[in-house]
Amino acid sequence: PAETRDAAQARVRSLPAPVTDVARLCVCDLLVAQCDVNCCCDPDCSAEDFSLFTTCSVPVVIGDRRLCSQKAAVYSLDVEANPPERIFKLIDQVNPSIFCIHATNYKQALYLKSPEIPTPENFDQLLDKFGGATFSAEPDSWNLDTDVQNPPEANETSRYEYGVPVQTEDAFLRLPSPVVSSWCSDANPAGFLVNQATKCIRSVSVEKCDSIQALSMLFYINSSILASVFQVNITVQSIAVQSLNGMRTLLSRSEVLRLPMVLDELCINAVLGVNYHITHTDTGEIIEAAAAFVLGAISKEELSIEQSFEISFTQENTQPVPLSGNPGYVVGLPVRAGFQPQGYPFPAAFSACFTCSGPSSQTLSSMDIYEIHLSNKHSQLTILQSTSTQDCLAAQGARAPVLFGYNMISGCKLRITAAVKCQPLAQTLLDVLKGQSFPEYVASFGNSQAQDVLDWVPITQLHISEQMTSHTLQSSCQIPVSLGIEVKWTKYGSLVNPQARIVNVTATITTTTLKQLPSGRERIIPITSSVVFTDISSPAEPSYKAWPTINIKLPFDFFYPFV
Amino acid sequence: NNSSQLSSLPLQILLYVNGIYYIFYFLATLAMIIYKSQVFSYPDEFLAPDLAVLFLMAILEVPRLYLGFKGNLTEAEAPLGLSLGLTVGSVVLCVYLLLWQTYVLWADVLLNAVLLSAYGLESGLKVTAIAAFVS
């Protein structure tokens, strides 16, 4: 038993000896115990198999061709014979060149190197050499390069370059994100100037909620960011508390640190979302860092919560405005819209920017009385977003941004009973269709500045009423049932690089008469909203440059003495 | 043979031709080693001895030929004897380059064989010349 195990280990330690006899080598013999087609050197093939071959895929098996004299196995098919048969010849191949290798005293010269078999003794050394993601054929030169690179890196924390992880005192600024699965991994560093938004799931338990680090605010702000010669502390910009039914309230005093604690079988002050805002100079130095938190409560039944993280970088003294194209709109980017400020009709005094106050991307309850400033950088045209419940009145204000070039349609169902009053219903439906703040102007180019009034296209509002029967009176109740936004755009600019430009936006509200229902009955009316993009570009007219004119004129005193 | 002149004319001719041939041999062998190092796998630990042997042989060749010329022309047996000794060293190095180089090409075999035969013939003539001078 012990001897056989040693013997077995000794056998494993050495690889089988390589075959060097050309008569026994066959490169095309891939199938074991079966004849490979057109492989004349395959020992598994019989004479009948050879008679079916058309050609020999491997005509010569030879060692290194540069040797002066060596044995070669030559395989060929004799197609003249009937049936065709294979001819095998072992010949002495002579290399006539004067630089042929007569002899070598270096064993590995003409053969591939046998790899080292790992043994308990050399395993660590082999792991060092080959265990990484890459390894070099010359390990010595590899070490030399890393030594040279290391010293300059130590001084480079002052200036960050795009994509470089933001360094903090202990390691990197963490932006937990899902890796492989949806569970949060805390090892994802935030890259400089890389705006990211991630959502991941963290497993929690109410009993241990004050000991789970990732639920506490401290975890996200305790280490300070290393920047130039000093360290930048992460300040708390704002704290919003989210209740169990999804309503968020912004706290007025956000300096106080709120740590998670267990209260009445709930874990309160657990971090549900962090939004980092990093301010940097134009030379890449970080000067400010702030974090806006969303804290929430975790009930006993919940075993996991979804956390969302976002980081955005702003250059100091600038207001970042996301462009939807430069200059023409890019398909898939949101259509930019805005309002004109009050008191517009004095164009000479017009200098304020269009207020950027489209609905924010957070979900708002329709009863929400506080405004959320957390991500108020979008000014977009939005349409109703269909929800799973399909109930218009419980829609909760979910809106989807209108993306340029993407026709969208969405809707919900309205249940009408006899007790419903018409006028409030019409107003609610108008809110549902148009949203809290329906913009008045749409940018015609993707990079239109708010100061350029002429670059903005007004939204034309149309009302169409579906008259079901001719005797319906104007005074009877009309409720809006659909909103159709038609965006007409054209190609603008050069023929080879046309830019999309919005020319006309029309929002059409279609209303229908609400017939009074007999009591006890109810009706379901579908409400739809849609966005259609229409290309109204006129066919391009190529314009050519004028032929160059040859302009030869002699100077007036060219023939001086004679003229 | 003119009895008043003991210097060996064939030896002189051979030494002269040997000098010219050796220059060609040195340059050709050096060029071939460079060629081999580019085309074949030639690690440094095998390249170094081959180059060392070649340069050692070149260093030995100069005094060897000079002493041979001097000894033959002045009809002195001491320089000629020294030259013979150095020839033995050169022969050993030549045999190394012929048999124990890392890569022995066919051109190597030819060059070294010619050089060895020249050395052999030279040694025979030197011995005859020494015998003539001594007696």
Side-chain angles (χ1 to χ4, degrees):
Chain A
E3 298 88 39
T4 50
R5 196 190 54 212
D6 284 341
Q9 276 183 344
R11 258 205 312 279
V12 167
R13 278 209 195 110
S14 60
L15 288 172
V19 174
T20 52
D21 181 8
V22 288
R24 294 197 296 136
L25 274 173
C26 195
V27 181
C28 53
D29 180 13
L30 301 168
L31 299 168
V32 175
Q34 270 186 54
C35 182
D36 291 86
V37 178
N38 276 347
C39 185
C40 297
C41 53
D42 195 344
D44 309 312
C45 294
S46 60
E48 295 93 42
D49 296 319
F50 287 131
S51 64
L52 298 170
F53 288 174
T54 52
T55 169
C56 281
S57 58
V58 172
V60 172
V61 181
I62 197 172
D64 193 337
R65 280 188 187 273
R66 291 178 290 212
L67 288 173
C68 288
S69 146
Q70 57 184 315
K71 283 235 176 297
V74 178
Y75 299 93
S76 59
L77 271 184
D78 182 12
V79 289
E80 312 281 309
N82 187 13
E85 53 185 37
R86 173 200 78 165
I87 303 175
F88 166 59
K89 282 198 293 242
L90 202 62
I91 59 167
D92 280 319
Q93 178 91 345
V94 171
N95 186 347
S97 160
I98 200 165
F99 297 116
C100 65
I101 301 176
H102 186 254
T104 67
N105 292 306
Y106 171 40
K107 268 284 147 45
Q108 296 103 308
L110 305 172
Y111 301 106
L112 293 173
K113 194 170 150 184
S114 302
E116 268 182 78
I117 303 287
T119 60
E121 295 84 45
N122 66 5
F123 188 79
D124 289 320
Q125 178 229 341
L126 283 179
L127 189 66
D128 274 336
K129 206 162 144 194
F130 300 115
T134 58
F135 53 85
S136 156
E138 294 147 300
D140 299 325
S141 62
W142 202 243
N143 287 339
L144 232 72
D145 283 341
T146 52
D147 281 339
V148 165
Q149 267 177 21
N150 270 337
E153 268 180 38
N155 293 340
E156 285 296 302
T157 50
S158 56
R159 270 192 35 157
Y160 285 98
E161 290 175 359
Y162 176 81
V164 168
V166 175
Q167 290 185 328
T168 61
E169 271 177 320
D170 40 1
F172 297 109
L173 185 64
R174 278 176 297 260
L175 202 73
S177 66
V179 179
V180 183
S181 65
S182 318
W183 296 100
C184 287
S185 153
D186 291 327
N188 181 41
F192 186 66
L193 289 185
V194 178
N195 294 333
Q196 269 183 304
T198 58
K199 279 192 175 67
C200 57
I201 303 179
R202 197 164 306 260
S203 68
V204 294
S205 76
V206 175
E207 297 86 45
K208 299 202 301 264
C209 96
D210 44 2
S211 62
I212 300 179
Q213 268 201 320
L215 291 178
S216 125
M217 278 171 68
L218 268 182
F219 181 64
Y220 300 99
I221 58 171
N222 62 353
S223 59
S224 46
I225 298 177
L226 298 176
S228 59
V229 292
F230 49 83
Q231 294 177 349
V232 175
N233 285 328
I234 306 181
T235 56
V236 177
Q237 187 182 27
S238 64
I239 301 180
V241 176
Q242 178 169 316
S243 64
L244 281 174
N245 59 0
M247 200 159 75
R248 289 190 189 180
T249 51
L250 198 64
L251 293 185
S252 50
R253 292 186 317 126
S254 53
E255 306 85 38
V256 177
L257 214 60
R258 288 168 161 245
L259 295 177
M261 53 189 181
V262 184
L263 193 70
D264 290 344
E265 295 187 349
L266 287 182
C267 175
I268 63 169
N269 295 334
V271 171
L272 294 183
V274 186
N275 203 332
Y276 289 104
H277 297 278
I278 315 266
T279 313
H280 66 280
T281 65
D282 50 359
T283 55
E285 290 171 14
I286 295 181
I287 50 176
E288 220 185 294
F293 287 92
V294 174
L295 302 180
I298 308 176
S299 61
K300 220 166 58 134
E301 300 86 37
E302 290 179 56
L303 294 175
S304 63
I305 53 164
E306 190 188 49
Q307 290 183 315
S308 60
F309 300 93
E310 205 180 319
I311 187 167
S312 62
F313 290 87
T314 322
Q315 196 168 321
E316 62 172 345
N317 301 332
T318 61
Q319 281 273 43
V321 172
L323 296 179
S324 297
N326 197 16
Y329 272 99
V330 172
V331 169
L333 290 184
V335 171
R336 294 177 55 224
F339 296 85
Q340 106 198 3
Q342 307 297 337
Y344 170 59
F346 304 102
F350 184 74
S351 59
C353 99
F354 279 86
T355 46
C356 313
S357 66
S360 73
S361 59
Q362 312 278 353
T363 56
L364 292 174
S365 153
S366 56
M367 300 178 301
D368 209 346
I369 47 175
Y370 297 89
E371 220 179 316
I372 308 285
H373 299 291
L374 285 175
S375 64
N376 202 5
K377 48 190 188 288
H378 305 292
S379 45
Q380 299 163 353
L381 190 62
T382 58
I383 66 165
L384 170 75
Q385 185 171 45
S386 309
T387 57
S388 53
T389 57
Q390 293 188 4
D391 188 357
C392 293
L393 298 176
Q396 296 231 335
R399 315 239 358 131
V402 171
L403 304 175
F404 184 80
Y406 288 175
N407 298 341
M408 296 198 235
I409 185 165
S410 61
C412 55
K413 292 201 177 82
L414 179 69
R415 182 178 307 149
I416 303 185
T417 58
V420 153
K421 294 275 185 303
C422 175
Q423 203 46 40
L425 179 67
Q427 191 54 43
T428 316
L429 279 180
L430 209 58
D431 280 338
V432 163
L433 281 174
K434 286 174 123 177
Q436 300 283 24
S437 46
F438 193 69
E440 298 170 9
Y441 285 83
V442 167
S444 70
F445 282 111
N447 65 351
S448 294
Q449 299 296 318
Q451 300 89 319
D452 306 324
V453 183
L454 298 174
D455 267 351
W456 294 74
V457 172
I459 297 184
T460 317
Q461 309 237 9
L462 291 182
H463 275 94
I464 298 181
S465 64
E466 287 174 0
Q467 305 277 2
M468 304 295 263
T469 47
S470 56
H471 68 263
T472 2
L473 301 166
Q474 289 289 23
S475 58
S476 67
C477 179
Q478 301 269 329
I479 52 164
V481 286
S482 89
L483 166 70
I485 302 178
E486 191 182 2
V487 181
K488 295 202 173 90
W489 62 280
T490 173
K491 294 200 190 96
Y492 186 82
S494 75
L495 195 61
V496 293
N497 191 12
Q499 304 295 315
R501 178 189 186 175
I502 291 183
V503 178
N504 190 334
V505 180
T506 312
T508 311
I509 301 262
T510 312
T511 57
T512 183
T513 322
L514 180 63
K515 289 204 285 267
Q516 195 64 357
L517 285 173
S519 73
R521 301 278 296 274
E522 61 176 31
R523 227 176 104 196
I524 296 186
I525 303 181
I527 310 285
T528 55
S529 70
S530 63
V531 180
V532 172
F533 285 85
T534 321
D535 181 356
I536 58 163
S537 350
S538 47
E541 291 165 13
S543 65
Y544 299 98
K545 269 180 76 163
W547 276 101
T549 53
I550 301 175
N551 206 355
I552 305 177
K553 257 170 49 171
L554 293 173
F556 77 101
D557 55 353
F558 191 70
F559 297 108
Y560 170 60
F562 309 106
V563 167
Chain B
N1 249 353
N2 207 345
S3 57
S4 58
Q5 180 195 319
L6 292 174
S7 311
S8 165
L9 181 60
L11 179 59
Q12 195 67 18
I13 297 173
L14 196 55
L15 282 173
Y16 188 74
V17 169
N18 194 352
I20 297 175
Y21 174 75
Y22 189 78
I23 295 170
F24 165 71
Y25 167 88
F26 177 76
L27 292 173
T29 308
L30 187 61
M32 279 202 291
I33 288 183
I34 293 172
Y35 164 76
K36 280 182 253 180
S37 73
Q38 301 299 311
V39 170
F40 304 126
S41 151
Y42 214 149
D44 288 341
E45 62 229 16
F46 292 92
L47 183 59
D50 292 349
L51 278 177
V53 163
L54 183 64
F55 280 97
L56 189 61
M57 211 163 112
I59 291 171
L60 279 181
E61 192 73 10
V62 175
R64 188 185 79 88
L65 285 175
Y66 172 74
L67 288 170
F69 273 116
K70 183 164 161 217
N72 192 23
L73 290 175
T74 57
E75 296 178 4
E77 59 269 4
L80 217 50
L82 261 178
S83 179
L84 196 59
L86 287 176
T87 308
V88 171
S90 286
V91 162
V92 167
L93 295 176
C94 186
V95 165
Y96 172 89
L97 286 179
L98 176 65
L99 293 179
W100 300 311
Q101 235 188 115
T102 310
Y103 292 96
V104 183
L105 304 184
W106 184 238
D108 275 322
V109 171
L110 286 176
L111 285 172
N112 284 295
V114 167
L115 194 64
L116 262 183
S117 55
Y119 284 165
L121 203 54
E122 250 178 47
S123 308
L125 287 173
K126 277 180 192 162
V127 166
T128 328
I130 291 176
F133 298 156
V134 164
S135 66

